[in-house]
Amino acid sequence: MPRRTDEPTKRFALRGRLVTLNTRNNVIDDGVLYVNDSRIAAVLPADAPAPAGFEDVAPIATGGTVYPGLIELHNHLPYDVLPLWAVPEKYGNRSQWGGSSNPAYHTLVTGPMRVLGEDPELMPAVVRYVEAKALVNGTTTTQGIALFSNAGARRMYRGVVRNVEATDDPDLPEAASRIADVEAANAEKFLARLQQPHRLLLHLAEGTDQAARDHFLALKLKDDQWAINQNLVGIHCTGLKAEDFKVLAGHGGSMVWSPLSNLLLYGQTADIAAARKAGVLIGLGSDWSVSGSKGLLGELKAARLAAKVGEVELSDRDLVAMATRDAARILRWEDALGSLKPGLRADLLVTTGTAGDPYTALVKATDTDIRLVVIDGTARFGTRDLVGAIHPHAAVEDVPSGGAVERVVHLQDANADPIVAGLSLAEATHRLATALADLPALAARAGASPPLTGFAADGVRWQLALDELAPTGAELRPRLPLLTAAGRTRPTGPEVGLAAAAAPLAPVALDGLMASADAAFLSVLAHEGNLPADYGRHLSQLLT
């Protein structure tokens, strides 16, 4: 949905190197990008006359390079408060490490998130914190945060980061990441759901063993037909072989690549060389902080290293396109986002410096290199001087970055969701850090409370819809039975259910907003055992 601050509509212009990501991949070494309200008005060389209406607008010198905002196609946002898991072994598929099959999952994920997601003070803090985390990692679009109520209603949280699942904008067709249980488990109903005019971002073939691949093969119907069309966007696809990618591409499907999470859990990632050879369109997603990057800026580095390990021919421009132009194409948003062109939404990312290859510069950039993040023409994160130049009267908050330049976040919004209205990032951080440090006591208190104790407003209480913990009536993945000569077998895909509470909860550290300032995260990453040789150490170095 369009975002508005409490300030009147205004025009501004940013001067720097402009990386357009248009179909010609034009780069303007010294250019000015003009913004009128929420849209890009013009993209011009610095020595060109200002467009009509901007004659009296002085361009703001960014001292950096301007890109389209980063579009993330997969992230379980609520879980991004949790720290990186030191994964103890390689797994073959999703069922082996998540849910009831792994009692440690209760201590790691289920227990903490149940406590946070149902508490009336902690649930809004989760929402505020994870959105800020997306911003400080350069993300302007991501998947949404689902809420459900004691009245049986379900809705998406309205935030400042653009949400692929709730846009309220005809130029940005909404995608979905969940389908009804009956549609997920019935081949005919699933195919009918795919034929509706919405992209479906669904987990697919999560793992490397035959069970993971069977999850994809179950999409095959009788008479060599497949429950695949242009609306199916498969997340992970680690279990697919070269012939499977040909099927996916041949039926119009696309995919989301989450290399770090795949490598951490399974010791390998999707066969990107085969996917690209087949013509599959690919986007990026950092998955979640439990086994992934803090955001897309980190995932670009993880993808670069994964391509190097796999000897995949993948340029830095290809990688940047996956997080911008190609992601927009997957969503059918290319006429509104993903490039710097007049008429498109002003979702922007500015990094420091203008030297060297512009695509390599973004892949190598750290979070302290981010100078500005703009969504719908509103500056949401960046250096104090740049945010202040665009919104001189806006209420902003300091973001501890560990860098020499002061950075602020701007969360003020007239359309703010009531569950977080007025909650500062500092207060959200304090609530979460305190709660996670005292999880055992909070869990005991929550266990004695009635269910659904979340935020109350007008008699309706909302809480986080944590689909990865327990069934909620909506699936994140198809569950079609595998078709064999003897008929249909049991549904494929992982069983999602509550992990057995085999051990009491222990204190947990709140995951830091920025990788460069999170020594614990960097240390765990450097010593992860499932990663290729030196991968974790090298990635941790690239993030600082």
Side-chain angles (χ1 to χ4, degrees), residues 278-293:
V280 176
L281 195 58
I282 303 170
L284 284 177
S286 54
D287 199 3
W288 61 349
S289 63
V290 176
S291 65
S293 301

Side-chain angles (χ1 to χ4, degrees), residues 73 183 235 322 452 494:
L73 296 185
E183 293 173 322
I235 299 170
M322 287 180 184
L452 208 61

Side-chain angles (χ1 to χ4, degrees), residues 3 75-81 113 117 122-134 142-148 154-166 177-178 417 419-420 462-467:
R3 272 79 180 179
N75 195 322
H76 300 279
L77 276 181
Y79 299 84
D80 284 353
V81 299
M113 291 311 301
L122 298 178
M123 184 268 284
V126 170
V127 170
R128 175 63 84 203
Y129 190 83
V130 298
E131 268 219 317
K133 191 176 185 182
T142 189
Q143 287 188 281
I145 301 173
L147 309 171
F148 69 98
R154 187 182 182 105
R155 67 177 175 86
M156 301 304 296
Y157 162 73
R158 299 191 308 276
V160 298
V161 176
R162 200 180 291 281
N163 175 6
V164 303
E165 297 163 80
S177 64
R178 300 162 180 83
D417 198 298
I419 67 168
V420 294
W462 293 94
Q463 69 180 57
L464 296 176
L466 301 169
D467 304 79

Side-chain angles (χ1 to χ4, degrees), residues 43-120:
V43 182
L44 298 170
D47 57 3
F54 286 85
E55 294 86 353
D56 297 327
V57 175
I60 300 166
T62 65
T65 301
V66 184
Y67 304 88
L70 301 184
I71 301 172
E72 178 164 62
L73 296 185
H74 179 52
N75 195 322
H76 300 279
L77 276 181
Y79 299 84
D80 284 353
V81 299
L82 300 177
L84 183 65
W85 180 25
V87 185
E89 61 180 292
K90 290 182 184 179
Y91 300 99
N93 61 69
R94 166 65 172 78
S95 293
Q96 294 175 356
W97 59 265
S100 57
S101 63
N102 181 11
Y105 193 61
H106 170 73
T107 304
L108 176 74
V109 176
T110 306
M113 291 311 301
R114 295 285 281 192
V115 170
L116 299 180
E118 296 179 1
D119 188 283

Side-chain angles (χ1 to χ4, degrees), residues 135-153:
L135 288 172
V136 304
N137 285 280
T139 302
T140 56
T141 297
T142 189
Q143 287 188 281
I145 301 173
L147 309 171
F148 69 98
S149 76
N150 58 333

